[in-house]
């Protein structure tokens, strides 16, 4: 099948620790194996008020930097981002958002994209899905992506979340430890902590989810079949 006749799939995502990128790559692999033409668009967080804290990994002062994003999350205002050209280079049959949770909701870069005119250009009359990687609070993130994407004219088809191990306190300690060191540790501040980030079973779930999205595209038919 020529590229022009394959279902066109776009992943729009933000990924500082590369966890969401890992999910996106696992899903993209499945969709490509199902004869979809897949494109990845990593949103860049360029806002001068916040970008410096995400410039390098690991973070030199993770707790301070993470807490410092709370006001931006609470204000719910768009920030400056850079949108890759691939987003508007063609019409897509499916757009899938990779959206990590920041505190209680959708991260600032993805929310900013969804509130942009570009999002309406891409989503108007198109199907979209979402994948949320998070420590906690996936519901509000997924709900926000669905609401904003629908407001931009998209048709929500499905969503999935991947939650890290541990309760409220220990999962936060695990995340802060990883952000500050880039390594997995058994203890942080003398407290035993669970593994953070994605586990292999999450990626297996991501691949299964991608398969269901591919089934939807196959059922809908390729552009040539619908012409």
């Amino acid at each position: 099948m020529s590229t022009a006749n394959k279902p066109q799939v776009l992943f729009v995502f933000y990924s500082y620790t590369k966890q969401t990128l890992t999910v996106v790559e696992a899903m993209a692999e499945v969709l490509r194996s199902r004869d979809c033409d897949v494109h990845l668009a990593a949103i860049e967080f360029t806002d001068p008020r916040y970008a410096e804290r995400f410039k390098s990994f690991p973070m030199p002062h993770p707790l301070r930097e993470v807490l410092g994003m709370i006001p931006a999350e609470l204000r719910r205002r768009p920030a400056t981002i850079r949108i890759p050209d691939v987003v508007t280079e063609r019409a897509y049959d499916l757009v899938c958002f990779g959206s990590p949770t920041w505190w209680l909701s959708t991260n600032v870069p993805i929310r900013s994209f969804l509130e942009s005119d570009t999002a309406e250009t891409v989503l108007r009359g198109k199907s979209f899905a979402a994948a949320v990687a998070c420590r906690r609070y996936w519901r509000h993130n997924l709900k926000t992506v669905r609401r904003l994407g629908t407001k931009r004219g998209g048709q929500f088809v499905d969503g999935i979340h991947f939650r890290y191990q541990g309760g409220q306190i220990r999962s936060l300690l695990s995340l802060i430890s990883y952000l500050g060191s880039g390594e997995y540790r058994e203890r942080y501040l003398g407290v035993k902590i669970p593994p953070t980030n994605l586990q292999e079973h999450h990626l297996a779930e991501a691949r299964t989810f991608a398969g269901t999205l591919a089934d939807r595209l196959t059922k809908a038919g390729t552009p040539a079949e619908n012409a």
Side-chain angles (χ1 to χ4, degrees), residues 143-171:
K143 182 179 179 181
T144 298
V145 172
R146 179 174 184 170
R147 175 176 59 81
L148 293 178
T150 301
K151 186 177 180 180
R152 289 299 179 187
Q155 302 168 359
F156 183 76
V157 294
D158 209 349
I160 190 171
H161 72 278
F162 311 98
R163 192 173 71 176
Y164 306 158
Q165 294 184 32
Q168 179 69 279
I169 301 301
R170 283 186 167 82
S171 66

Side-chain angles (χ1 to χ4, degrees), residues 20 66 73 99-107 131-144 160-176 194-198 202:
T20 297
V66 169
E73 283 289 300
S99 179
T101 295
W102 285 6
W103 290 105
L104 301 179
S105 189
T106 305
N107 61 91
V132 170
C134 61
R135 182 180 65 85
R136 312 282 287 180
Y137 308 117
W138 58 271
R139 287 183 179 84
H140 195 269
N141 185 353
L142 190 58
K143 182 179 179 181
T144 298
I160 190 171
H161 72 278
F162 311 98
R163 192 173 71 176
Y164 306 158
Q165 294 184 32
Q168 179 69 279
I169 301 301
R170 283 186 167 82
S171 66
L172 177 59
L173 292 176
S174 294
L175 178 62
I176 295 299
T196 191
N197 295 339
L198 297 168
H202 291 130

Side-chain angles (χ1 to χ4, degrees), residues 63-202:
L63 184 58
R64 184 182 72 187
E65 305 299 355
V66 169
L67 291 175
M69 288 307 299
I70 293 178
E73 283 289 300
L74 293 177
R75 281 195 293 268
R76 302 286 193 270
R77 294 176 183 173
T80 305
I81 58 175
R82 190 186 76 80
I83 302 171
D85 292 340
V86 68
V87 171
T88 53
E89 283 179 346
R90 70 197 68 204
Y92 293 97
D93 301 295
L94 173 69
V95 180
C96 189
F97 292 97
S99 179
T101 295
W102 285 6
W103 290 105
L104 301 179
S105 189
T106 305
N107 61 91
V108 175
I110 291 298
R111 192 181 70 241
S112 298
F113 175 84
L114 285 165
E115 293 178 346
S116 70
D117 292 338
T118 301
E120 183 159 2
T121 299
V122 174
L123 288 173
R124 177 65 59 184
K126 303 297 182 179
S127 298
F128 74 98
V132 170
C134 61
R135 182 180 65 85
R136 312 282 287 180
Y137 308 117
W138 58 271
R139 287 183 179 84
H140 195 269
N141 185 353
L142 190 58
K143 182 179 179 181
T144 298
V145 172
R146 179 174 184 170
R147 175 176 59 81
L148 293 178
T150 301
K151 186 177 180 180
R152 289 299 179 187
Q155 302 168 359
F156 183 76
V157 294
D158 209 349
I160 190 171
H161 72 278
F162 311 98
R163 192 173 71 176
Y164 306 158
Q165 294 184 32
Q168 179 69 279
I169 301 301
R170 283 186 167 82
S171 66
L172 177 59
L173 292 176
S174 294
L175 178 62
I176 295 299
S177 173
Y178 182 73
L179 289 175
S181 67
E183 299 175 352
Y184 297 106
R185 298 170 171 173
E186 293 186 359
R187 291 184 176 273
Y188 180 67
L189 300 179
V191 178
K192 185 175 176 57
I193 54 176
T196 191
N197 295 339
L198 297 168
Q199 307 298 310
E200 185 53 44
H201 70 89
H202 291 130

